[in-house]
Amino acid sequence: MNRESGSATAVGAAAIGLWACLAALTGASKSVPTFEALGLTFAIAAVAALAGFLAMRGPAGVRAGLRQWPLRAWVLTTVAIFAYHALYFAALRLAPPAQASLINYLWPLLIVLFSGLIPGGSTRLGLPQVAGAVLGFAATLLLVGGPGPVEASGTAMAGYLAALVCAFTWSLYSVLNNRINAPGSEPMIVVCALVAVLAGLCHLAIGETFVLPDTGATLSLLALGIGPIGAAFVAWDHATKHGRLALLGAMSYAAPPLSTLILVLTGQAEPSLTLLAATLLVVAGAGLAAFGSKWQQRRSQPA
């Protein structure tokens, strides 16, 4: 791994750490309607990203950076980030946060699978990836229909489905973003602003009631916009373009147990054997697929 790749992968690891707080902060803001929360969060993220890039690059550097992306990068990033977060916010409002969060965290495993399935990838799909997928699927079945205190109402099922689509959306975006490899991350400022506008339009279109956030929800939205959404997604954009994608997928398996632990510690989830077993299955599936890929790559290299 060269120095640039290693640095970008480390930046991706920081994003993964921030995402461990995403479910808890999103759950703490569930008094605010979905699209209103989405719009406010991404407006904060746009301001935070602009301030950060201005401090690092200056006005001239930011203007130059905004002109670097091709149209396909703008479309992919805006659509993927809007769709992912709309579904994620909805999932954690419709279903129990711990279960929905764990289903969403199938995306590290799916990154490895899609790296092998999508043309141009460096990962060859083999037995470790298939076995990892089976473990991830088993975790989903356990969360949705297994023994223990699992909510299985129609509303909760809609939330579980939204979380599953989240996982597919984010993994596909990460792999395709790596293929496009558009230079710079400054356009994420505009992407965050566009997502905020789209969320506002959806809020008006479906007739959601505007809710003035209380102190707790306001702090949660601010923390989301600055950290797990603002800084983390700029970092992930950079990491998926310049870092080791398979290694990022492997490191991502640390996020599910951290996220679940934070939900339990903040009182948003009850500890249970079902939750523990599902967490272990998600981690094992992602780890097996990712480290199996590294083993395959080493075997394929000439001695």
Side-chain angles (χ1 to χ4, degrees), residues 226-269:
I226 294 170
I229 288 178
F233 288 106
V234 173
W236 191 251
D237 175 74
H238 176 76
T240 53
K241 290 172 183 173
H242 305 293
R244 293 282 298 276
L245 198 61
L247 184 54
L248 284 169
M251 290 191 300
S252 299
Y253 76 81
L258 287 174
S259 177
T260 304
L261 178 62
I262 292 171
L263 284 169
V264 170
L265 291 175
T266 57
Q268 297 185 53

Side-chain angles (χ1 to χ4, degrees), residues 24 39 78 81 107 111 132 135 158 160 165 180 210 213 216 218 252 261 265 289:
T78 304
I81 288 181
W107 64 257
I111 283 179
L135 289 176
Y160 299 143
V165 179
I180 293 174
F210 179 80
T218 299
S252 299
L261 178 62
L265 291 175

Side-chain angles (χ1 to χ4, degrees), residues 196-215:
V197 170
L198 288 171
L201 292 174
C202 289
H203 177 83
L204 294 173
I206 67 175
E208 282 185 340
T209 303
F210 179 80
V211 173
L212 185 64
D214 58 21
T215 302

Side-chain angles (χ1 to χ4, degrees), residues 239-303:
T240 53
K241 290 172 183 173
H242 305 293
R244 293 282 298 276
L245 198 61
L247 184 54
L248 284 169
M251 290 191 300
S252 299
Y253 76 81
L258 287 174
S259 177
T260 304
L261 178 62
I262 292 171
L263 284 169
V264 170
L265 291 175
T266 57
Q268 297 185 53
E270 291 293 329
S272 68
L273 290 177
T274 299
L275 196 58
L276 175 62
T279 302
L280 294 175
L281 284 171
V282 170
V283 171
L288 178 61
F291 288 109
S293 297
K294 290 180 68 178
W295 178 75
Q296 287 173 324
Q297 287 172 1
R298 287 175 182 171
R299 285 196 61 190
S300 65
Q301 291 175 353

Side-chain angles (χ1 to χ4, degrees), residues 44-55:
I44 295 165
V47 173
L50 176 60
F53 278 115
L54 284 174

